[in-house]
Amino acid sequence: MEVFLIKALQLILSISLLVLLHEGGHFFFAKLFKVRVNKFYLFFNPKFHIASTYDTWVRKLFRMKPEVVPTKENGEKEYIGTEYGLGWLPLGGYCAIDGMIDETNQKLTGDPKPWEFRSKKTWQRLLIMIGGVLVNFLLALFIYSMIMFHWGESYFALKDMSMGMEFSKQAKDLGFKDGDILLGTDQGEFKDFQADLYRDLSTAKRADVMRNGKKVSIKMPGDLNLLEMMQTTPRFVSPYIPSEIDSVMPGTPAAKAGFAKGDKVVGINNYNVATWTQFTNVISRLNDQMTDQMTSEDSLKLRTVMVAVNHKATGKTDTTKVVLTPDMMMGVGMTSLMSYYKPVTVKYGFFESFPAGIRYGLDVLGGYISDLKYVFTSDGAKSLGGFGAIGSLFPATWDWYLFWKMTAFLSIILAFMNILPIPALDGGHVLFLLYEMITGRAPSEKFLIYAEYVGFGLLVLLMIVANLNDVLRWLGVM
């Protein structure tokens, strides 16, 4: 429960910051061009049957009413400022700009007023619409730059991984062998083990490896499916990390079996194990079978495994019966790259950090854009995730480095997704404004309203699918 709360808090804080600044970008340009902003809200505040309760005390805590004055036209009172508020539904936020057709569903009546969005010049409306995207994009680059300045850039150089990598059957069929050290492809040298490595291998015509001290080139097809490479078990390639126990948690099955730090797991049931990747693959197979178990007896039988361990203290290998926990855990901490290799750390001065951060951010954006083609496949649709999937990306303990890195990633993705030419998104408004600038004719209000409905419906459908995938993964169906 504690892990869930930490992840949830990080997600809410990150999303709140990004939404606040995104809407602030629209707000800034609207005020710059003297466009009235009726409401500025962090989170949504839909009026359900509990609206009266919301108005009585929550609104008093979190809402600031702008000044009310008589209008010049007929003496009636109206708001001339902005209503700032905090909604109760943490799914985003909004900036209600007067005289604009958007998700706030305001009615446009009469002739355009000087303070309305629709009365402004096209280029001014364009800047108001891209303000949020611009802020999110610049924010991401700024955060990446500050990460470079404060923490520097640390990575494990592939060329230094003397134990090499282990490969899937698909990779071995292409000519790779366990223990090969990846050097690069015809597209360039590899720096570290990141998603870019998979992307380069998926489109490469040639891959270079170091095998037994000699450089070997392997012919590649150039059109490998990136999702299959990363999502199949085992993955196309993983760093070779021996199945050496780093720690044993008290009271766990491993502790009861007498396992200790430095021991090596060499087998589970009838499967030989040499690396943690192989260990995880065996446990994953057992976990898949768990969904078919109908009784507690069947579950207990499946969780009872024979584990072969080579003990560091004696050098002997013993096989012990171990009953895994209901969530298929043995209770051991695994060694990692940090256990065997020293990371390369590059430090940047304040001014040096900006070009480094910008390069990193643009590389992240480029990788994300190149992967979008997989969204339109069946496997890609299944890989979509909602708030649960996003929240799971945050660390289980509070880590400011990982928090800011994840926030920067979400910011740059939010910027890109919002600029897509889809009605109801900023990019949809930009598309219609560009059409007006080119043709000199603005789309009719009726068309814009219907386009907004269609775009909003698509977004709601996408959100439902993404969050439904989260639920199905949690239930073990996907």
Side-chain angles (χ1 to χ4, degrees), residues 190-209:
F190 290 138
K191 176 183 175 183
D192 56 359
F193 201 94
Q194 298 287 349
D196 283 344
L197 179 144
Y198 283 93
R199 294 189 186 102
D200 287 353
L201 286 173
S202 68
T203 58
K205 296 292 185 181
R206 187 197 78 247
D208 299 324
V209 301

Side-chain angles (χ1 to χ4, degrees), residues 159-304:
K159 61 183 180 63
D160 294 338
M161 295 185 185
S162 56
M163 290 185 290
M165 289 84 206
E166 55 181 324
F167 298 86
S168 67
K169 183 179 183 304
Q170 179 191 18
K172 291 176 180 177
D173 289 341
L174 293 172
F176 292 98
K177 293 184 178 181
D178 288 339
D180 285 350
I181 302 173
L182 285 171
L183 300 177
T185 68
D186 52 311
Q187 302 173 17
E189 293 184 2
F190 290 138
K191 176 183 175 183
D192 56 359
F193 201 94
Q194 298 287 349
D196 283 344
L197 179 144
Y198 283 93
R199 294 189 186 102
D200 287 353
L201 286 173
S202 68
T203 58
K205 296 292 185 181
R206 187 197 78 247
D208 299 324
V209 301
M210 185 67 69
R211 180 181 298 167
N212 298 324
K214 296 181 180 180
K215 184 177 179 180
V216 177
S217 294
I218 298 171
K219 185 178 180 181
M220 300 288 287
D223 58 351
L224 294 175
N225 186 296
L226 181 62
L227 283 182
E228 291 182 0
M229 294 173 67
M230 299 185 69
Q231 294 182 352
T232 52
T233 303
R235 286 187 173 190
F236 187 88
V237 57
S238 301
Y240 190 99
I241 302 177
S243 50
E244 180 180 353
I245 297 175
D246 182 67
S247 60
V248 178
M249 284 154 257
T252 60
K256 295 175 182 177
F259 301 160
K261 176 181 174 64
D263 293 349
K264 291 184 179 179
V265 180
V266 296
I268 300 179
N269 290 342
N270 296 321
Y271 297 97
N272 292 326
V273 170
T275 67
W276 285 121
T277 298
Q278 295 171 8
F279 173 89
T280 303
N281 293 340
V282 174
I283 297 298
S284 295
R285 293 192 193 101
L286 295 175
N287 208 21
D288 291 340
Q289 297 175 41
M290 183 68 75
T291 59
D292 300 327
Q293 307 307 310
M294 302 301 294
T295 66
S296 57
E297 290 79 7
D298 292 336
S299 173
L300 179 60
K301 183 178 179 180
L302 186 65
R303 292 189 289 114
T304 304

Side-chain angles (χ1 to χ4, degrees), residues 27 30-31 35-40 81-83 95-98:
F27 182 88
K31 290 295 186 180
V35 176
R36 180 182 300 174
V37 178
N38 295 323
K39 296 182 179 182
F40 185 93
T82 303
E83 177 183 313
C95 179
I97 298 175
D98 203 1

Side-chain angles (χ1 to χ4, degrees), residues 1-11 13 151 391-406:
M1 186 63 179
E2 181 182 355
V3 171
F4 171 80
L5 291 176
I6 291 175
K7 287 177 176 281
L9 184 59
Q10 290 180 91
L11 174 63
L13 178 59
W151 285 284
S392 67
L393 297 176
F394 285 93
T397 57
W398 199 281
D399 186 314
W400 282 113
Y401 169 76
L402 295 177
F403 171 81
W404 285 117
K405 196 171 184 179
M406 187 62 196

Side-chain angles (χ1 to χ4, degrees), residues 364-394:
V364 169
L365 178 60
Y368 182 81
I369 293 174
S370 70
D371 296 346
L372 269 185
K373 60 185 176 183
Y374 295 103
V375 173
F376 303 100
T377 65
S378 59
D379 289 336
K382 293 177 182 178
S383 68
L384 288 174
F387 292 105
I390 297 173
S392 67
L393 297 176
F394 285 93

